Amino acid sequence: MEQQVRTTMQPITTIASHLGIDINELEPYGKYAAKLSESLWDDIEARDNGKLILVTAMNPTPAGEGKTLTTIGLTQGLNRIGHKAVAALREPSLGPCMGMKGGATGSGAAQIVPSDDINLHFTGDIHAVTSAHNLAAAMLDNHLMQGNALHIDVNRIVWKRVVDMNDRPLRRTVIGLGEGNGIVREDGYMITTASEVMAVLCLAENLQDLKKRLGRMILAYSMTGEPITVDQIGATEAMSVLLRHAVKPNLVQTIEGDPVLIHGGPFANIAHGCSSVRATRYGLKLADYVVTEAGFGADLGAEKFLDIKCRQTGLMPSVVVLVATVKALKYNGGIKKDELTAPNLDALQEGLANLRRHIENLHKYGLPIVVAVNRFATDTEEELHEVISFCRGLSCEVALSEAWAKGGEGARALAEAVAQAAECSRVEEEFRLLYPDNTPLRDKIKIVVREIYRGADIRFTPKASRALSRIEEQFGHELPVCMAKTPYSFSDNPKLLGAPVDFVMDISDVRISAGAGFVVVETGTIMTMPGLPKEPAALRIQLHEDGTVSGLE
């Protein structure tokens, strides 16, 4: 399959020509990938925008729902029915690639290529984020060693280091050991996709905005409680230099030759979970439809896309596509992973409560919804009929997707449903955010927990309560909240499946991301540095004698 995929790829110049992009506006990375130049934006900025389609899903399960696959297939399908469509996706992190999920480029007849390159390093954007983030950390520690002119409180350093790998032992470390190696202090690592630098990269409008956002990121606090920023330690310009190429969106293609913009990679369980604003804006100027996705389930990715990305940019999706599968519904109905292929209508009906919750939540934003039922070979006609009837009973458009098996042709029905919904969409009149800007932060957290998760209340640890009070005192309450939560449940307990209600959500910490422009709220036992599972995906990866790679699927 890998060799077949490689032989079907078209030169990236050909893909660019489908969007009317001149070869001189490309910065090639090999034959099949390129960055879009800064000057291209100057040429297209005045054009009207196309329509934005957001793809999200029910809560993820071990069986996999195929959200990225559906995003790719829908893009292929829209092009097959005569529209000019481009996908806008996040870049895969090495953490999941080597950890639990494997690669993140779709599969079957709905995937993006060159998949191995995209999954492994790609154009170096994530490494640039790692380097920029760790430069700030190094300069901070050097400042401490060289006399600490800013009077930084060593016990109030909030800037950890990052690495793009699931590396559990690095969650807490001690640095500076040994003579002449700096101040001895406790430190730790996050995964790069949780870095505020990644969030800044994905939310920045341009290089100038990137600099401003980098400069106001908070690294620590002084002895008197004043925030110490990247600007104050003098790292802004050097960090910008490291990110000067990473800020440009990347162009690749689907297996069928459809254009894909892939840029940035924040996780949705511990960050805001959306590909870059720049890639979205480029796509909207270049195509009739931009199909983008938000990470994990709609309770995380879609909520953050709407309440953070749309709030900051003024962008609005014309339609939300909600991906569901028979397997995921049965899993939420209490069936174990190894029993999901067996027909079980009772469990499916029980699991429909999870799908209902997501539909109800998305309706709160005033958005039209199309449910995409991603079909698996083991699904029975009776089970599929039950799901389709359920969605129609909630006044939702619904379509089967067979993109994995048939590519764009298999997504034709979905594409037609989405295009029709987009044409009838009144999003400019009906779209609404979950809460206004001037809502107090504590109330914003309660609104998300009650309206989206359906919890009864929130419970702060003393640490989180103190942090929230300091943030409101120093920064006010205008910023949106970015909830860091398990993706597997509406609650903060990953084992509580289906559609739980009336639980109390524990808030373990709250921190300001002043550069990104939101407040991160950590719930339960969420970790900003994931660990590897018992059998990591890295065990399946092989490099063959002919140079090809397998096991990244």
Side-chain angles (χ1 to χ4, degrees), residues 459-541:
R459 179 170 50 214
F460 286 83
T461 63
K463 174 185 177 183
S465 187
R466 289 193 301 270
L468 183 64
S469 296
R470 283 195 298 264
I471 289 169
E472 288 205 299
E473 184 178 318
Q474 290 185 319
F475 301 96
H477 47 248
E478 295 295 312
L479 298 179
V481 293
C482 180
M483 305 295 289
K485 179 183 77 70
T486 175
Y488 302 111
S489 171
F490 279 105
S491 74
D492 55 357
N493 178 359
K495 296 181 180 179
L496 202 57
L497 303 180
V501 296
D502 296 336
F503 51 86
V504 176
M505 180 162 284
D506 289 311
I507 309 300
S508 53
D509 200 5
V510 182
R511 51 191 168 86
I512 181 80
S513 290
F518 52 68
V519 174
V520 178
V521 181
E522 296 185 9
T523 70
T525 57
I526 191 72
M527 294 288 184
T528 56
M529 169 56 81
L532 291 173
K534 185 176 181 180
E535 296 184 3
L539 294 174
R540 303 192 300 267
I541 298 172

Side-chain angles (χ1 to χ4, degrees), residues 200-201 204 206-215 243 247:
V200 163
L201 178 76
N206 48 48
L207 193 56
Q208 291 70 37
D209 187 32
L210 177 77
K211 280 189 181 183
K212 290 178 182 178
R213 288 174 178 269
L214 291 174
L243 295 167
V247 77

